[in-house]
Amino acid sequence: MAEILDGKAIAEKIKQDLAIRATEFERKTGRKIGLAVIRVGADPASAVYVRNKIKACERCNIRSLSYELDESVNADALIALIHKLNKEPDVDGILVQLPLPKHIDERVVLSEITPDKDADGFHAVNAGKLFLGEKGGTVACTPRGIIELIKSTGVPISGKHAVVVGRSNIVGKPVAMLLLQNDATVTVCHSRTQNLKDITLSADILVAAVGKSNFITADMVKRGAIVIDVGMNRTENGLCGDVDFYSVKDVAGYITPVPGGVGPMTVAMLLCNTVDGAMHE
Ligand code: NDP
């Protein structure tokens, strides 16, 4: 029976430390660290994510500035707001909640956030620094949280075979780079991968970022493996991960639950990125 990696508890501890750092920053500078959160449209899932992020800011003594724009807003107006926030000295981090409405090109919008305030770590400059192994960049929140969860097991990453299923720019690719930086041997799988099961069965560390409910089943997991479930799939039975938790927990050594695994760590890492950004100024 696998040990459950309690992302909620680990995230809580991280937030306690952040609250201390943010309060110390305020004492030294006379201002609170600030995070601007921009949401466009009325997507209910985005509204929940944004609410959680704002609540977490309050908990950590970080000032949140919330901008709710109408679904019909055009890219120019959104970019004008970002430019204004880029120049605002009290704003240390800017977050644009994804997805954006179809008529707005996310890549164009995200590239307008100054890399120093890119709390999500999606800007090409920050992604490039991660790729090159340069220090001082902002690492995307979910991948950063995944590494923290793996490290919380105490099992060394170095030399292990890490298999990442999914190659998105926000999860799969950056987490693969971080695992490589931590000296894992990394295999990245995707929808064209052949013999997926043969590959996942050799994983000491398995990261599932597929976006398909219960996609990873017990017969795909090596006994004792660390299994990180990134999936957040809304089904008629509620929120469901990419890993079939109930069967995989009997095979894996460690496993993250959904909810309560990667999700809370993502929020904690967003706040980490914001506090780190303020401290680096
Ligand atoms: P994307 O849809 O961008 O990427 C999914 C990836 O899965 C793609 O690379 C795709 O391959 C691959 N894939 C799809 N089908 C298969 C298959 N049959 N076999 C192997 N690979 C396959 O998703 P994201 O990376 O954005 O998100 C993944 C999941 O994580 C979602 O459930 C999302 O909601 C969740 N998520 C959770 C977060 C959190 O904080 N907990 C944060 C971000 C995401 P290809 O590239 O070939 O199409």
Side-chain angles (χ1 to χ4, degrees):
M1 171 77 177
E3 187 177 315
I4 313 288
L5 297 175
D6 186 347
K8 210 171 158 194
I10 300 169
E12 195 49 45
K13 171 79 186 62
I14 292 169
K15 284 190 275 184
Q16 278 170 16
D17 293 344
L18 286 173
I20 295 168
R21 288 175 68 199
T23 304
E24 180 62 10
F25 179 92
E26 186 181 4
R27 195 185 61 75
K28 279 194 181 144
T29 63
R31 74 165 182 91
K32 277 191 201 294
I33 293 173
L35 174 68
V37 181
I38 305 174
R39 180 163 74 88
V40 182
D43 177 44
S46 292
V48 173
Y49 297 146
V50 164
R51 226 179 11 252
N52 287 343
K53 288 169 186 175
I54 289 173
K55 237 168 62 191
C57 282
E58 283 163 14
R59 163 87 182 69
C60 295
N61 196 29
I62 294 171
R63 188 170 71 106
S64 61
L65 300 91
S66 175
Y67 297 86
E68 308 222 334
L69 308 182
D70 194 79
E71 179 92 22
S72 64
V73 74
N74 65 32
D76 289 345
L78 179 54
I79 289 169
L81 172 61
I82 289 170
H83 287 174
K84 182 173 148 286
L85 294 169
N86 281 344
K87 292 198 209 104
E88 183 59 62
D90 288 354
V91 171
D92 302 285
I94 302 170
L95 162 88
V96 178
Q97 184 64 45
L98 302 180
L100 290 172
K102 294 218 173 355
H103 66 277
I104 299 178
D105 185 335
E106 285 178 0
R107 279 178 310 172
V108 171
V109 167
L110 296 180
S111 70
E112 295 296 330
I113 299 173
T114 187
D116 295 342
K117 295 190 180 186
D118 171 32
D120 254 338
F122 293 159
H123 193 286
V125 167
N126 286 319
K129 282 187 175 169
L130 175 63
F131 185 84
L132 296 174
E134 280 184 21
K135 290 201 166 57
T138 304
V139 176
C141 308
T142 302
R144 194 176 169 188
I146 291 169
I147 297 297
E148 291 297 322
L149 280 165
I150 297 170
K151 286 187 172 167
S152 78
T153 65
V155 176
I157 298 175
S158 177
K160 297 291 189 309
H161 184 205
V163 173
V164 180
V165 189
R167 57 172 165 180
S168 71
N169 289 335
I170 62 170
V171 187
K173 282 186 206 162
V175 82
M177 292 314 303
L178 287 173
L179 286 161
L180 195 56
Q181 268 179 20
N182 281 275
D183 299 322
T185 302
V186 182
T187 305
V188 182
C189 304
H190 46 78
S191 66
R192 310 294 167 88
T193 297
Q194 294 181 358
N195 306 320
L196 180 67
K197 184 175 156 185
D198 292 346
I199 300 168
T200 58
L201 266 175
S202 75
D204 304 302
I205 298 169
L206 179 60
V207 179
V210 191
K212 291 189 171 156
S213 312
N214 300 327
F215 180 81
I216 301 288
T217 46
D219 59 326
M220 298 169 80
V221 176
K222 180 177 173 178
R223 187 155 291 280
I226 299 173
V227 178
I228 306 290
D229 188 353
V230 187
M232 293 223 291
N233 309 298
R234 281 163 202 284
T235 69
E236 54 189 23
N237 300 322
L239 197 62
C240 180
D242 287 346
V243 175
D244 179 23
F245 182 87
Y246 288 99
S247 68
V248 172
K249 73 177 182 349
D250 294 333
V251 182
Y254 301 86
I255 188 168
T256 59
V258 177
V262 173
M265 291 299 286
T266 297
V267 177
M269 292 302 134
L270 169 72
L271 303 185
C272 266
N273 283 347
T274 307
V275 172
D276 289 350
M279 301 275 190
H280 284 151
E281 274 167 11

